[in-house]
Amino acid sequence: MVEHPGFGSRLAWLLDRRKLDAHEVADRAESTTEEIRAVLAGKSPRDVLLRRLGPMLGFHAADLFVLANLAVPDDLAPLDATTARWTASTLTDAVRLPQPNATDFSD
């Protein structure tokens, strides 16, 4: 079984591709260079850092929680992940409903 690289390795890869260094990332993410270097070295990132890194790197913060193998906080998670499968059929059914007559709404 192949083990996936840790978040620090993935972050290092992203920063390398975007030509960013730890100091620049720290400035943009309102963090410290030491914290960024610690994460790059394998330390688990703090929630607040992931929330700030997401938009800075062009990701949803929730995606970074997943990449870091951390639970996605409730405020970033979908309200009900199972509802997505029903959305298309519900909209299709709604579109197929007959148009109401003006008299349908009179008292």
Side-chain angles (χ1 to χ4, degrees), residues 2-24:
V2 176
E3 189 172 322
H4 292 285
F7 180 74
S9 297
R10 293 173 181 170
L11 181 60
W13 184 86
L14 281 169
L15 299 184
D16 183 56
R17 296 297 176 271
R18 295 191 171 138
K19 310 253 187 277
L20 297 169
D21 63 25
H23 181 72
E24 189 172 359

Side-chain angles (χ1 to χ4, degrees), residues 6-15 20-23 25 33-44 49:
F7 180 74
S9 297
R10 293 173 181 170
L11 181 60
W13 184 86
L14 281 169
L15 299 184
L20 297 169
D21 63 25
H23 181 72
V25 171
T33 303
E34 293 76 25
E35 181 179 26
I36 300 300
R37 286 186 178 141
V39 170
L40 292 170
K43 182 179 178 189
S44 185
L49 179 62

Side-chain angles (χ1 to χ4, degrees), residues 37-79:
R37 286 186 178 141
V39 170
L40 292 170
K43 182 179 178 189
S44 185
R46 296 180 307 130
D47 288 7
V48 68
L49 179 62
L50 292 175
R51 289 173 184 272
R52 291 176 181 166
L53 283 176
M56 192 211 88
L57 294 171
F59 288 93
H60 294 285
D63 295 335
L64 291 186
F65 278 87
V66 172
L67 286 174
N69 201 27
L70 297 172
V72 177
D74 288 342
D75 67 309
L76 296 178
L79 294 178

